[in-house]
Amino acid sequence: MSSRYFGRILIVDDDPIIGRLYEATLAHAGFVVSTANDLRQMRDLVSQFSFTAVVLDLNLGEDYGMDGLPFLLKQAPFAKVFVLTSNASIERAVDAMQRGATGFLTKDLAPDKIVGEILKHLTPEKPASTAGDLAGLSSLGLTGESLAIKELIATIEKIRNVDSTVLILGESGTGKEVVARAIHNTSPRATQRFEAINCGAIPENLLESELFGHKKGSFTDAKADRKGIFEICSQGTLLLDEIGDMPISLQTKLLRVLQERHITPIGAGTSIPINTRVIAATHRDILDEAKSKRFREDLYYRLSVVVLHLPPLRHRSEDIPLLVRCFLEQFNKRFSRDVRYPTNLVMSRIMAYDWPGNVRELQNAIERAVVLATDDQLKLEHMFQHLQTRPMQGSSAAGVDSQVFSLPLTEAKQHFEKAYLENLLKVSGGNISEAARISGRYRADIYRLMNRYGFDQDQFR
């Protein structure tokens, strides 16, 4: 299995031999593969999953593959559709491309050619306007030159004229709200209202009222009618932040709202039509939450029409110098300072740190350094002042020897990280999904740390 991930792909073919060949080939290349034998199965799967690409055979027994193309173009507008054909039906394949298909594959293609043809269309293009797009979106908070950021910007460009639901996934501090605002500000709704609500920060008994509103007298403190946030930004965009923390009872009501495009305020007898574009965000592994029945699976599929993955800052460290420059300019202007861009030596130290708090932590560190600066130099001791805490006298911090505080920062962090991971695995009983949930990280991060420090999952079970 490839260590890379290119998305989910659907193979629609009634020939089991061809189906198995494509499935094995594409799974090995790094795709999650689903298969369908006819158009009915295809429609069912498309209604459940968000696909990066679809391989559609023109001859499906009693079905004709072209009959499924309009459905795919409407229900999976971001999926690349590749028509599968024999050499004898190239003309029909070309006709399919003229009607909206991305390309065609002939059944005599070698496995590596299959993957190559598909990836050729999935690899982000590098048009001359990329730099301009990047510069334009930087003003919206999207700053970076990494492939991950360029792919993100390319996707925002693709969806700017549609109002499909978007699900943004990423650790705390990676900039999920920044991305949501960028999506809104580049869309036709840009002149309308944008609102964000943290679904995990509001008590359940108040969250329903915040979302859908209430009528006077519908509960003890309902002194007057109140509009909910869905109605307030009915022509705009609503970010449901930390959707993974929304109570199950409200998830059911939210699903109904997304399906019917109507809301019913608490205590009201009639519903209100809305036209709100919904963006959801969470730091949790939401698919794992759905499989564990902590999140409604049908709501997950409804939200994940377009899924954006925001990588942690440690996975795109090449963006750190540009982010530092942007934050320096921002805070120098705000505080009327003139702190210079750091030297190469200082920048190498900044880039060596893992930034567990991601872009938000880096932004706060730069602000702190500018505020505390006594001259025009950016000082590391100011940036990392929040890490220079000392344990209480006569004790150690969570199992970390007090001598760790006299070590260089990188070594001290490794000592703490190892102790934290060991305690995390003990608490979770070696359950990686639970460890990821507690720590707010992805399971892949937990496995990476276990490999780094030589921990065996079985020793904690």
Side-chain angles (χ1 to χ4, degrees), residues 31-65:
F31 288 94
V32 174
V33 184
S34 298
T35 59
N37 297 323
D38 53 37
L39 294 182
R40 181 188 61 78
Q41 291 183 6
M42 180 197 77
R43 294 187 184 98
D44 289 344
L45 286 168
V46 169
S47 67
Q48 295 180 51
F49 299 100
S50 177
F51 289 99
T52 303
V54 179
V55 176
L56 177 64
D57 189 7
L58 287 180
N59 298 305
L60 294 169
E62 297 180 358
D63 290 339
Y64 177 43

Side-chain angles (χ1 to χ4, degrees), residues 68-81:
L69 187 59
F71 173 84
L72 290 173
L73 296 178
K74 181 178 180 180
Q75 299 299 325
F78 304 107
K80 305 289 187 182
V81 180

